[in-house]
Amino acid sequence: MKDLVVMKFGGTSVGSAERMRAAARLASEERKKRPVAVVVSAMSKITDLLLGAMRHAEAGDQAGIEANLAALRARHEEACRDLLPESRQAAVMAEVHKLVAEFERIVRGMAMLGERPPRSVDEAVAVGERLSALLVSEYLASEGTPAAAINAWDVIVTDAVFGNASPLMDPTREKARAILLPLLEEGALPVITGFNGATADGRPTTLGRGGSDFSASILAAALDAAELWIWTDVDGIMSADPRLVPDAEVLDEITYAEAAELAYAGAKVLHPRTLAPLAERKIPVWSKNSFAPEKPGTKIVPTVATAHGTRAVASMGNVALVSLEPASPELNGVQVMGRALEAVARANVELLLVSSSSYRQNFCFLVRHEELERTLEALESALALELAHHYLHPIQVDRNVGLLTAVGEGMQGKPGLAGRIFTAISRVQVNIIAIAQGSSELTIAVVVRRDGLEKAVQAVHAESGLGHRPPVPVFTFPMPRRKE
Ligand code: ASP
Ligand code: MG
């Protein structure tokens, strides 16, 4: 649909009645100019609360279940009361209670089984988004904007990887058009749940944590939208994490590839898979702050005319380095690596970096702390024999590391850039443990000691001429002296 804007509001942007009002205002203002479809996250912290209730259920913790159910109910009752006019209160409150009861039924089932099957988790956790879609659409309607709450499991068709599903674009396109276009054409504003979908045969799925961004891009692509706006609680995509680098700046424009690399490298602002569905139709994306909508935000575009050098420095603290090393020369290191990688892939672990040395045939990779236990279990079972017979050294784990990633299209084919990054890090006396450069040459990733991460990020950020300081030419080595 020509002119259509898809707007996605994150958890904090619909985190209270007040924030829902602000979100609704942004959407309905835009709708005066062109058609708008809204995608919402659950209210902030609600997804954690729902997942927590299900963990309590599995563990048989009744008190825990009750506490989470009470908090879920209270938060949405309060929002409903503060948001809607007297005349709609009772009807919508009844809908809220119906959704909470749906969640409760599944959770009680899990408590009885002492188990939380991934498929049921996906069905239950989507209640968070269904609640916020209900409240936002009711508020829009009460303010005179015709709106309809839509459950994305009627629209987004996915594979059956529960908890981390991928969209099937052709059937999604068909459903999105059949269900959403008629609404948009008659001037209504659909409010669609983020995060969830369903398999072709109707089993509920979710797209992974933070997946509402991805939902919005799937829908923008399926509906041939003109633009996608992602509303969050920060001013846009930044040149570094401002908690680490006080002079980090909001980037005015970056490419899909840069934004995707930044998301994978730990910048929290976009779900990593968001940009893929948009590439074919080249739909531009705005990352904007719903708390300060007058600020320009960051525009994410397919390509830029002139690539800048390093555009941003992303970082991750909660990571662990896992190393494997054959103890016997008879063991084929490449085969060990292949089996190890297959095992972690099967455990659905995301590898943040892989690095190897061919001489000692050892190799290491980086995973998130939350995924470490799963990683080790997978490795220990896949390599049980080699470990038992000491063909492999015991698996080494270093939890005290951090990952720094410099990202920029302009880094491609620039000799000396890696050297400058490493020099900047060593100048602040931080030891480099492992490095990797993406073969796209869009990123240089460096693993450092955890306590040196902050200093290293600051050093690379400054060396790259980012932030509120005079630019330094980035691409020549050694650095020319500037004549001021
Ligand atoms: N509510 C989901 C989550 O917290 C999805 C999202 O907010 O994007 O992961
Ligand atoms: Mg998010």
Side-chain angles (χ1 to χ4, degrees), residues 148-209:
I150 305 284
N151 188 339
W153 72 39
D154 293 326
V155 180
I156 295 181
V157 183
T158 72
D159 62 17
V161 180
F162 299 103
N164 196 26
S166 297
L168 306 175
M169 283 312 282
D170 288 341
T172 298
R173 218 173 143 74
E174 240 169 71
K175 285 201 168 189
R177 292 177 165 260
I179 293 173
L180 302 174
L181 281 186
L183 282 171
L184 289 162
E185 270 152 14
E186 72 197 33
L189 199 159
V191 181
I192 306 140
T193 57
F195 190 36
N196 70 331
T199 61
D201 56 354
R203 290 171 291 161
T205 54
T206 58
L207 303 168
R209 288 308 305 271

Side-chain angles (χ1 to χ4, degrees), residues 8-11 40-43 45-48 51 125 128-129 194-195 208-215 271:
K8 179 262 174 177
F9 292 93
V40 286
S41 286
M43 295 177 78
K45 308 263 162 55
I46 289 297
T47 304
D48 288 333
L51 293 171
V125 76
E129 271 70 14
F195 190 36
R209 288 308 305 271
S212 297
D213 295 342
F214 193 24
S215 308
H271 184 277

Side-chain angles (χ1 to χ4, degrees), residues 234-242 247-255 257-263 267 269 285-289 295-301 304 308-314 405-409 461 464-468:
V234 291
D235 290 344
I237 298 179
M238 301 197 71
S239 59
D241 181 341
D247 73 334
E249 59 185 337
V250 176
L251 302 169
D252 51 357
E253 192 175 82
I254 61 170
T255 65
E258 288 169 335
E261 293 286 2
L262 279 173
V269 72
V285 184
W286 287 93
S287 164
K288 282 177 70 81
N289 189 348
K295 295 201 175 152
T298 301
K299 187 176 189 187
I300 310 170
V301 293
V304 284
H308 302 264
T310 303
R311 290 295 276 150
V313 186
T405 310
V407 176
E409 303 246 16
H461 191 258
S464 307
L466 299 169
H468 315 297

Side-chain angles (χ1 to χ4, degrees), residues 7-11 13-28 37-43 76 79-80 83-84 92 96 128-150 189-193:
M7 285 193 178
K8 179 262 174 177
F9 292 93
S13 298
V14 291
S16 64
E18 189 201 334
R19 298 314 310 159
M20 286 183 180
R21 252 181 241 122
R25 207 174 311 124
L26 290 166
S28 59
V38 163
V39 174
V40 286
S41 286
M43 295 177 78
H76 291 90
C80 180
L83 190 63
L84 297 174
V92 179
V96 167
E129 271 70 14
R130 291 166 68 197
L131 283 161
S132 58
L134 167 72
L135 293 175
V136 171
S137 68
E138 284 291 340
Y139 176 70
L140 281 162
S142 75
E143 291 287 293
T145 303
I150 305 284
L189 199 159
V191 181
I192 306 140
T193 57

Side-chain angles (χ1 to χ4, degrees), residues 307-324:
H308 302 264
T310 303
R311 290 295 276 150
V313 186
S315 50
M316 287 172 108
N318 284 325
V319 291
L321 195 67
V322 178
S323 312
L324 288 174

